[in-house]
Amino acid sequence: MKLHFEVPGDDFTRAGEASGELKRKLKRLGFDPDVVRRAAIAMYEGEINMVIHAGGGVVDVEILPDKITIILTDYGPGIEDVDKAMQEGFSTAPDNIRMLGFGAGMGLPNIKKYTDTLNIKTEVGKGTVLTMTVLTNKQA
Amino acid sequence: MDRFFHSVTLDKDLCVGCTNCIKRCPTQAIRVRGGKAQIMPERCIDCGECVRVCPHHAKKARHDSLDMIKKYEYTVALPAPSLYGQFNRLDDIDYVLNGIKALGFDDIFEVSRAAEIISDATRRLLSDGKLKKPVISSACPAVVRLIRVRFPDLCENVLPLRSPMEVAAELAREQAVQKTGLPPESVGIFFLSPCAAKVTDVRVPIGIEKSNVDGVLAISDIYPRLVSYMNKLQNTEQLSHSGIIGVGWSSIGGEAAGLLNENNLSADGIENVIKVLEELEDEKLQDLDFIELNACAGGCVGGVFAAENGYVARARIQRLRKYLPVSCNRMEDVGGVAGLLWTQPLEYAPVMTLADNVEDAMRVMNKIDKMAERLPKLDCGSCGAPTCRALAEDIVRGLARETDCIFLMRRQIQDIVGGTQQQEG
């Protein structure tokens, strides 16, 4: 089944709503708690990133019995140095966001940790597409 | 024993079929069908929200009656610490404890004593670092049941220790047997409870095979008689043997304070508890050591069997415990942590899943999504389900009909009327 979420970029307090909805759905579908957690957290991190850095975006999720694919698309500034962004602790988040406890530089590293595949397509000035999958028959 | 026993129950004669309880239930366990509320037993966590909110007093919480003590040769009452907050101008806990004996019990054993033992054991388990953090308190039976049905991923974080009530019951029975020489089954152990979920917890326990408590009496039920006995007391024997930490368990923050560690969070009220559990599930609270969650606002003092307003009771207890020692009971009193641990793990009960396998569940969810699109999304409750989405699910499962929605029905009638008018015109 397919899900589509619009993630608004102008209301930071609503960030995390879409991944919360995915979590509720996956639970009700009866996926293993570990799968639910990995998919929900990976999407949450991506969603927060889109709101902090890219002014929002859209998320498309495809749920299959053996695989959950999450595609986050934004038209933000793009990632200048993907390797750096993948390092734990590296962040370009502004101070006001860090005050809220975000911007620890764990977003992309956590996504990598919780997913089975991660593909980042990014172009500076154009935007970023994050495609991640969580396999449902494999324990983390 | 009935796996789906619940303290919370419905008096059909009093139920008028309004929407108050269905809207308030945290697990969406109630529907109004045929003009009467129905509780889905597999979803109910006995939190008591519906009991509190029902304006017609149709939702009730069952408990045992004081007459039950006649069945036993020797009886011990286990007063919950919240009991101490029910009395105006009380300055000595021994008045309450002596009053309980006057009520017909042979002895008392304060649950606050066992609470101090659990506090001590929790402190040591936390410092040993063997528990999965953040550790979630297992003291509130409604919260443990909520986690079991809604938060599969957090089952492992729940503190695997028996409740103060259970530890108190075991110690009380041991002491009674020693004192009287009676066989253990001749001793009746009765919990004086502010909490409906405890009634369920005794009948269908979690973490242990069988409860040591023989009956659960509601504080609100024994309160009038207890007060009259307390007023008649001539002199009191010293019975109280617990301190600030044990008595503090009666309200929210008390259990956490007993850990003597600032790295914790306390939340009360079922909606707030759910928000915290959701944050925990998203791993947003990983830095905390301990999470104390109470389903009732204010903590146990806010239970449905409490006689007094929970916040008033809390204020009284704060004053009452001011000159108590910090703590009077330690883990060594029960010979170490081993006897305090749960013997059975907390296991996820997937009562909310849509089907036995993911493929079927996806088909069902697709149907529910489609049906939900047709409903007005007003969540008015007139159909008897708490939300339009819940009705969509009930329709797909064959438990409700589309025409249960008054808006869909109105549209259908308008279509029919419109059709005939066109024919006439």
Side-chain angles (χ1 to χ4, degrees):
Chain A
M1 75 187 292
K2 288 182 175 165
L3 305 171
H4 177 81
F5 302 96
E6 306 273 339
V7 177
D10 54 353
D11 188 355
F12 191 68
T13 61
R14 287 184 55 193
E17 270 185 14
S19 48
E21 179 61 24
L22 176 69
K23 183 171 76 179
R24 272 188 287 280
K25 293 234 183 224
L26 293 178
K27 266 197 212 176
R28 301 223 60 194
L29 289 172
F31 279 104
D32 188 85
D34 180 65
V35 170
V36 178
R37 186 174 56 96
R38 290 194 291 131
I41 292 177
M43 175 161 157
Y44 174 82
E45 295 285 9
E47 191 183 345
I48 294 288
N49 279 348
M50 283 202 309
V51 178
I52 294 176
H53 299 288
V58 295
V59 187
D60 289 282
V61 182
E62 187 184 29
I63 305 170
L64 295 172
D66 59 338
K67 186 168 86 172
I68 298 159
T69 308
I70 303 166
I71 304 168
L72 297 105
T73 308
D74 71 57
Y75 303 96
I79 304 168
E80 268 183 42
D81 186 336
V82 175
D83 288 338
K84 250 189 179 168
M86 292 300 298
Q87 285 169 18
E88 289 190 7
F90 176 83
S91 175
T92 58
D95 284 346
N96 59 343
I97 297 295
R98 288 174 197 245
M99 295 283 280
L100 285 166
F102 295 99
M106 293 303 292
L108 283 172
N110 266 343
I111 294 176
K112 179 120 188 92
K113 180 172 139 199
Y114 286 116
T115 55
D116 293 296
T117 68
L118 169 63
N119 180 279
I120 305 173
K121 258 202 235 155
T122 185
E123 198 174 329
V124 173
K126 290 263 172 73
T128 302
V129 180
L130 238 59
T131 306
M132 52 183 99
T133 59
V134 173
L135 301 178
T136 63
N137 53 3
K138 180 176 153 274
Q139 297 289 309
Chain B
M1 203 144 305
D2 182 6
R3 197 177 137 227
F4 288 130
F5 170 87
H6 287 291
S7 166
V8 173
T9 180
L10 178 84
D11 184 336
K12 271 213 165 108
D13 294 337
L14 294 177
C15 178
V16 303
C18 70
T19 60
N20 284 294
C21 61
I22 57 173
K23 302 293 276 183
R24 187 73 167 262
C25 176
T27 55
Q28 298 199 332
I30 314 173
R31 300 288 185 275
V32 175
R33 300 234 193 280
K36 302 285 176 191
Q38 287 176 5
I39 306 171
M40 295 183 231
E42 69 281 9
R43 286 193 182 184
C44 175
I45 58 168
D46 288 288
C47 65
E49 285 298 305
C50 56
V51 178
R52 257 188 280 267
V53 77
C54 179
H56 310 286
H57 306 288
K59 285 284 171 49
K60 295 201 162 89
R62 285 183 276 188
H63 53 77
D64 296 310
S65 97
L66 188 56
D67 288 341
M68 207 178 145
I69 69 173
K70 293 176 193 152
K71 285 194 346 201
Y72 296 88
E73 279 183 64
Y74 189 88
T75 54
V76 186
L78 312 178
S82 51
L83 176 66
Y84 309 151
Q86 309 297 311
F87 311 95
N88 204 7
R89 292 193 302 273
L90 178 76
D91 57 7
D92 185 353
I93 290 170
D94 278 329
Y95 267 96
V96 183
L97 303 181
N98 281 270
I100 296 169
K101 283 185 78 172
L103 206 54
F105 290 93
D106 296 300
D107 203 357
I108 59 98
F109 192 103
E110 292 175 280
V111 173
S112 48
R113 290 181 62 178
E116 291 184 344
I117 293 170
I118 295 296
S119 286
D120 191 19
T122 311
R123 287 195 295 270
R124 298 194 206 193
L125 287 174
L126 279 173
S127 68
D128 286 350
K130 281 182 193 145
L131 298 172
K132 187 172 175 194
K133 286 186 187 176
V135 176
I136 304 170
S137 162
S138 55
C140 176
V143 168
V144 173
R145 282 164 177 75
L146 175 71
I147 292 171
R148 187 174 65 160
V149 298
R150 274 189 62 174
F151 297 94
D153 223 26
L154 299 176
C155 288
E156 285 178 17
N157 293 63
V158 175
L159 181 67
L161 288 180
R162 294 158 65 199
S163 68
M165 174 189 75
E166 284 299 337
V167 174
E170 186 176 12
L171 292 173
R173 194 181 300 276
E174 275 172 21
Q175 282 188 7
V177 167
Q178 237 168 32
K179 204 160 150 185
T180 63
L182 288 167
E185 60 275 16
S186 300
V187 176
I189 306 287
F190 291 86
F191 180 53
L192 309 186
S193 177
C195 170
K198 280 287 192 200
V199 178
T200 309
D201 202 36
V202 163
R203 292 281 287 270
V204 199
I206 285 179
I208 55 172
E209 204 164 315
K210 190 179 176 306
S211 172
N212 240 306
V213 177
D214 297 301
V216 179
L217 307 179
I219 286 178
S220 52
D221 192 42
I222 58 160
Y223 181 74
R225 274 170 286 181
L226 178 56
V227 170
S228 84
Y229 278 110
M230 282 169 64
N231 286 336
K232 280 183 241 155
L233 286 175
Q234 297 292 336
N235 38 31
T236 57
E237 55 174 319
Q238 143 100 63
L239 294 168
S240 168
H241 186 65
S242 59
I244 292 172
I245 287 180
V247 176
W249 274 62
S250 55
S251 42
I252 185 66
E255 184 188 3
L259 300 178
L260 313 173
N261 162 349
E262 290 74 40
N263 197 20
N264 58 60
L265 174 159
S266 302
D268 57 326
I270 195 78
E271 291 303 323
N272 301 322
V273 163
I274 290 169
K275 281 181 196 150
V276 170
L277 289 171
E278 281 175 349
E279 300 242 324
L280 261 172
E281 200 177 37
D282 292 340
E283 300 192 355
K284 289 185 213 162
L285 304 173
Q286 296 305 91
D287 300 338
L288 290 168
D289 288 331
F290 191 81
I291 315 267
E292 178 188 358
L293 301 171
N294 288 176
C296 294
C300 303
V301 286
V304 290
F305 290 151
E308 183 58 274
N309 172 306
Y311 294 95
V312 173
R314 186 181 182 178
R316 286 178 184 160
I317 289 172
Q318 259 176 48
R319 206 183 47 204
L320 190 60
R321 66 180 198 157
K322 193 170 168 194
Y323 297 111
L324 295 180
V326 173
S327 180
C328 307
N329 303 274
R330 301 188 66 75
M331 199 171 79
E332 279 70 25
D333 302 348
V334 292
V337 76
L340 300 171
L341 289 169
W342 274 353
T343 50
Q344 295 166 352
L346 179 62
E347 272 172 11
Y348 174 44
V351 300
M352 311 293 256
T353 47
L354 293 170
D356 293 338
N357 64 70
V358 173
E359 286 91 340
D360 288 346
M362 274 166 38
R363 273 191 284 277
V364 175
M365 190 176 278
N366 266 324
K367 282 188 197 164
I368 295 170
D369 287 345
K370 278 202 189 104
M371 178 51 65
E373 278 303 308
R374 304 185 38 183
L375 296 172
K377 300 181 185 69
L378 291 171
D379 296 342
C380 71
S382 303
C383 61
T387 61
C388 290
R389 191 159 177 95
L391 175 64
E393 187 175 331
D394 290 349
I395 293 171
V396 169
R397 290 177 169 220
L399 302 170
R401 292 184 308 256
E402 276 185 49
T403 47
D404 287 337
C405 172
I406 55 170
F407 295 92
L408 272 191
M409 190 164 73
R410 191 170 67 182
R411 212 181 294 156
Q412 283 182 8
I413 291 171
Q414 280 167 348
D415 286 349
I416 295 167
V417 172
T420 37
Q421 276 172 347
Q422 266 179 357
Q423 278 175 358
E424 283 166 2

